[in-house]
Amino acid sequence: MAIVEKSETDQQTFDIDDFLKNLTRLPGIYKMLNDKDTIVYIGKAKNLKNRVSSYFRKGAASPKQQVMVAKIKRIEVTVTHTEGEALLLESQLIKRHKPRFNICLRDDKSYPFIYLSTEQQFPQISLHRGAKKKKGQYYGPYPSAGAVRETLKQLQKIFPIRQCDDSYYKNRSRPCLQHQIERCTAPCVGLISQEEYAQDVNNTQLFLTGKGSLLIDKLVHNMDKLAIDLEFEQAAQVRDRISQLRTILEKNYVHGERGDVDIVACATRAGIACVQIFFIRNGQNLGNKTFFPKISDDYTPENILQAFIAQYYLDKNVPYELIVSHKPEEVSLLVEVLSDHAGHSVIISPNVRSDRSKWLQMASANAENALQTKLSDKQGVYARFLSLQEELGCQEVPKRLECFDISHTQGDFTVASCVVFDREGPVKSAYRRFNIEGITPGDDYAAIYQAVSRRFKRLVKGEHEAPDILFIDGGKGQVNEAEKALAELQVNSVMIVGVSKGPDRKAGMEKMILPGQQQPIDVTPGASGLLLIQHIRDEAHRFAITGHRARRGKAKKQSTLETIAGLGPKRRQVLLKQFGGMQGISRAGVDALSGINGISRQLAQRIYDTFHHQDD
């Protein structure tokens, strides 16, 4: 228990020397308040007198501390029995009061779990947040409700157990839409036996507890048995389940991890901090979560992780290990307090190797990327649209932009891309690709004409919204073909702008070409509107290349297995069964391939290289 020791709060003028002279040397927390009686900083100390005194020594305070000390009108302390108690109390008070000069965790809501109601005859699976009062099994935590819903969606396709509420389930007289789209086996109206349903529940439990390999072996055995019994349609369904399961496991599996681990990485720049957490449970990556703690300029990643870990984990389930990008300032104290809170030993690992190092690098890269995105957002996407309006002379601020690009290899496997931006950035759900056919190989003009025609025929039918500006990656020839396509469809309300690469293809030197104008229009170098044009052009280019490579790769992968040395007919058959076909094999990593009986690591590497080094 904490013991409150009152400060000299009744004095009109705060006498720091007198306060320090009478201050205890016991552990505890201190609260610094300003003239409005608002807490500006909360800290903890093993020795309160030594720690508080350090703020008032000449030349010892940092710039942040100097600003903070100038605002202090009084100090309150709370004595605790141990430094660990002080850390707990400090974290709780910071989360409650959010003082200006502390590192404060802004997003700290409870995390969701997947709940399986095992007590029922036909169990339900659902998202759960809050206290675990209901009988059943809980899997997680997941970083967000979206991550839970995505997992439930994946499970529904493979093992269709019910996700509806009990009140809805008990009052059904006929199957619902979920049964019609093969996402539920309709136990509500008796269309599946309890034994068959229990099998799906058991398979779901194997998946959620990280026993994916065991589950796949079980399904392969079941598929073979059905094939022997001449139940070919059911065998094909199981094969499809195996393929879907392989895809999910390959995406989520963390090689080398079998326990519960969180990977915590921190990045800071320009007074903004980003902390990224990856949640590993039962060897599976459940997803990641991004935080932007409130900080001032002079906090280091070590400071930030010290405060973040204390605030974040002290009211949650703590995994057995935290892998961190920077060593917290008081790592031994954190380990002691977290272990006591969790009821099991907790390790904080700042230095890791091999696969763990790769995962930490990935978390750090995500933190850097999220931080960069945050910084970019501060400039304002809307400001770029305003600049674009000014640079192109539009009467109104554009709301929607589209951009087309073409990709091919010497005229083969031509693919056109269309990407869409609005005032909030890329609208990826509206992206489209077009496989271009029936043109002279390498004719980019004809490819643009075909792609724009196909896209805007759908617009005329009312299938999507019209853009204000249509960007074409190319020069006058491509612009003329796009103008011709729109004129034939009588689409007159769209402004067409060609984005021609500048000298030496240097970014920032692009030329903007309008239909009917001999000379390119001048765009202010460095204008934010130009950055927006570059962004949408580069995104269209990326999307086109990705589509082209996929189309070219698909053609090259036909009968590829027969060309791999050391991969005979029996092993090819095993691979096709385990991964559900060629597409599943092409997506598999070396670890997944080498996990198949009879496939050595060297052979797995040859298989992987065959599918992924086609572009060399």
Side-chain angles (χ1 to χ4, degrees):
M1 285 290 294
I3 306 167
V4 177
E5 179 179 293
K6 192 176 179 181
S7 67
E8 297 179 18
T9 56
D10 298 329
Q11 294 185 1
Q12 292 293 325
T13 304
F14 181 58
D15 186 342
I16 185 59
D17 292 329
D18 186 56
F19 178 78
L20 293 174
K21 183 169 61 177
N22 296 302
L23 188 57
T24 179
R25 294 184 181 275
L26 293 171
I29 63 104
Y30 52 93
K31 293 183 286 187
M32 297 177 169
L33 297 91
N34 62 15
D35 55 355
K36 296 179 181 178
D37 223 28
T38 300
I39 300 172
V40 295
Y41 187 78
I42 298 173
K44 68 108 182 109
K46 186 176 182 179
N47 182 316
L48 279 167
K49 185 166 189 172
N50 289 350
R51 184 71 186 96
V52 176
S53 299
S54 68
Y55 290 94
F56 299 94
R57 295 184 191 129
K58 292 183 179 180
S62 67
K64 183 203 78 170
Q65 290 175 338
Q66 292 174 11
V67 173
M68 182 179 72
V69 167
K71 298 179 179 294
I72 296 172
K73 296 303 177 184
R74 66 188 181 94
I75 299 175
E76 295 179 355
V77 299
T78 302
V79 177
T80 60
H81 293 110
T82 66
E83 189 181 7
E85 281 187 10
L87 177 63
L88 286 167
L89 183 58
E90 176 199 36
S91 300
Q92 293 167 356
L93 292 175
I94 289 173
K95 288 166 72 172
R96 183 188 307 163
H97 297 289
K98 302 189 183 304
R100 175 184 171 185
F101 291 97
N102 281 100
I103 299 169
C104 298
L105 179 58
R106 293 172 175 174
D107 183 0
D108 193 33
K109 61 186 179 182
S110 62
Y111 281 78
F113 288 74
I114 285 179
Y115 168 68
L116 186 62
S117 59
T118 53
E119 298 293 315
Q120 296 169 308
Q121 188 178 14
F122 292 97
Q124 170 211 16
I125 191 169
S126 62
L127 181 151
H128 176 85
R129 196 194 293 273
K132 301 173 185 176
K133 296 180 179 179
K134 296 189 289 185
K135 290 184 179 180
Q137 295 180 352
Y138 296 84
Y139 304 93
Y142 285 75
S144 65
V148 173
R149 292 189 185 99
E150 179 61 27
T151 301
L152 291 175
K153 182 179 177 182
Q154 292 171 346
L155 282 170
Q156 225 178 8
K157 294 177 182 178
I158 306 172
F159 308 117
I161 64 178
R162 70 179 184 91
Q163 298 186 14
C164 56
D165 293 334
D166 288 343
S167 57
Y168 184 82
Y169 167 76
K170 292 175 181 177
N171 291 295
R172 294 300 301 175
S173 58
R174 60 182 181 178
C176 67
L177 178 62
Q178 292 299 313
H179 175 70
Q180 296 175 33
I181 62 174
E182 300 181 352
R183 296 292 185 267
C184 181
T185 48
C188 53
V189 291
L191 295 188
I192 185 173
S193 68
Q194 188 175 351
E195 291 75 18
E196 290 177 299
Y197 192 88
Q199 193 63 47
D200 279 340
V201 171
N202 181 256
N203 289 336
T204 298
Q205 291 172 316
L206 288 174
F207 174 85
L208 292 174
T209 52
K211 298 176 182 176
S213 297
L214 178 63
L215 177 54
I216 285 178
D217 289 342
K218 179 181 174 182
L219 291 175
V220 168
H221 176 75
N222 186 26
M223 179 179 66
D224 288 339
K225 186 176 182 300
L226 288 168
I228 292 171
D229 294 340
L230 305 182
E231 300 285 352
F232 298 118
E233 185 176 346
Q234 289 178 281
Q237 292 175 352
V238 177
R239 178 204 62 200
D240 293 342
R241 284 188 177 188
I242 293 170
S243 178
Q244 291 174 314
L245 192 56
R246 275 285 179 194
T247 301
I248 295 168
L249 292 174
E250 180 73 10
K251 177 181 177 182
N252 296 341
Y253 181 66
V254 183
H255 181 67
E257 296 295 346
R258 285 294 180 184
D260 293 349
V261 180
D262 280 359
I263 302 167
V264 188
C266 178
T268 62
R269 199 181 316 148
I272 298 177
C274 176
V275 176
Q276 188 91 193
I277 304 182
F278 277 75
F279 301 82
I280 312 300
R281 298 294 180 270
N282 296 309
Q284 290 191 58
N285 175 15
L286 301 189
N288 60 306
K289 182 74 173 178
T290 305
F291 298 86
F292 293 97
K294 180 179 73 69
I295 66 166
S296 57
D297 292 342
D298 59 348
Y299 278 117
T300 66
E302 290 79 7
N303 301 143
I304 294 165
L305 286 186
Q306 172 74 26
F308 176 87
I309 290 172
Q311 292 181 47
Y312 178 77
Y313 284 104
L314 289 179
D315 62 352
K316 294 181 176 65
N317 293 330
V318 187
Y320 287 89
E321 183 175 9
L322 304 179
I323 296 175
V324 295
S325 60
H326 301 80
K327 185 177 181 180
E329 290 181 311
E330 298 174 296
V331 66
S332 298
L333 178 62
L334 274 178
V335 166
E336 177 188 339
V337 172
L338 290 177
S339 298
D340 184 62
H341 166 70
H344 58 73
S345 63
V346 176
I347 302 171
I348 296 180
S349 306
N351 299 309
V352 289
R353 298 179 181 179
S354 189
D355 293 315
R356 289 166 170 243
S357 176
K358 292 177 184 177
W359 278 91
L360 182 56
Q361 289 172 13
M362 185 187 70
S364 297
N366 274 271
E368 288 286 352
N369 182 64
L371 183 63
Q372 183 58 47
T373 301
K374 187 78 169 179
L375 290 169
S376 299
D377 288 346
K378 292 185 70 176
Q379 299 174 12
V381 175
Y382 185 71
R384 294 187 177 189
F385 272 78
L386 288 173
S387 173
L388 183 66
Q389 177 196 20
E390 183 178 349
E391 295 295 333
L392 298 182
C394 304
Q395 292 184 349
E396 297 180 353
V397 180
K399 294 180 181 178
R400 183 181 175 97
L401 314 175
E402 292 189 6
C403 184
F404 281 76
D405 191 19
I406 304 295
S407 181
H408 57 77
T409 301
Q410 297 180 340
D412 292 334
F413 311 115
T414 303
V415 171
S417 69
C418 171
V419 300
V420 181
F421 279 32
D422 63 14
R423 291 178 184 174
E424 294 183 359
V427 186
K428 295 195 174 183
S429 62
Y431 286 16
R432 294 293 182 269
R433 290 193 185 103
F434 304 92
N435 290 333
I436 304 301
E437 306 286 357
I439 66 170
T440 303
D443 188 347
D444 287 357
Y445 299 161
I448 281 290
Y449 172 82
Q450 185 180 134
V452 172
S453 294
R454 289 166 61 182
R455 171 68 170 173
F456 281 84
K457 280 179 183 176
R458 292 181 176 275
L459 182 142
V460 171
K461 294 178 181 178
E463 293 184 17
H464 63 84
E465 184 181 347
D468 298 297
I469 303 176
L470 173 62
F471 290 101
I472 303 294
D473 187 6
K476 289 183 180 179
Q478 286 91 340
V479 169
N480 290 340
E481 291 299 316
E483 183 183 27
K484 176 183 171 184
L486 294 189
E488 290 178 357
L489 295 169
Q490 299 183 357
V491 177
N492 304 314
S493 58
V494 178
M495 180 180 186
I496 302 174
V497 179
V499 185
S500 178
K501 299 174 179 65
D504 301 322
R505 307 172 72 91
K506 187 175 181 182
M509 302 298 290
E510 293 85 357
K511 303 295 183 183
M512 303 302 139
I513 299 169
L514 300 182
Q517 293 192 15
Q518 293 298 316
Q519 298 297 323
I521 62 173
D522 294 325
V523 177
T524 307
S528 61
L530 179 57
L531 295 178
L532 179 59
I533 294 172
Q534 291 170 352
H535 187 182
I536 193 170
R537 187 271 317 275
D538 292 345
E539 181 68 353
H541 185 61
R542 178 199 66 78
F543 196 55
I545 287 178
T546 303
H548 163 65
R549 286 177 176 169
R551 187 181 181 192
R552 184 181 63 184
K554 185 177 180 180
K556 288 185 177 182
K557 286 172 184 174
Q558 293 177 354
S559 303
T560 303
L561 291 181
E562 297 178 9
T563 68
I564 301 172
L567 193 63
K570 289 184 178 179
R571 287 177 178 171
R572 290 201 299 268
Q573 188 178 21
V574 170
L575 281 175
L576 290 167
K577 282 184 178 181
Q578 285 281 340
F579 292 95
M582 287 287 289
Q583 189 175 36
I585 297 172
S586 69
R587 290 174 176 172
V590 174
D591 293 321
L593 291 166
S594 62
I596 304 303
N597 188 31
I599 306 295
S600 67
R601 184 131 191 123
Q602 291 78 11
L603 179 54
Q605 188 66 57
R606 286 202 298 275
I607 297 168
Y608 181 88
D609 291 345
T610 300
F611 284 95
H612 294 271
H613 292 181
Q614 299 285 337
D615 298 331
D616 292 349

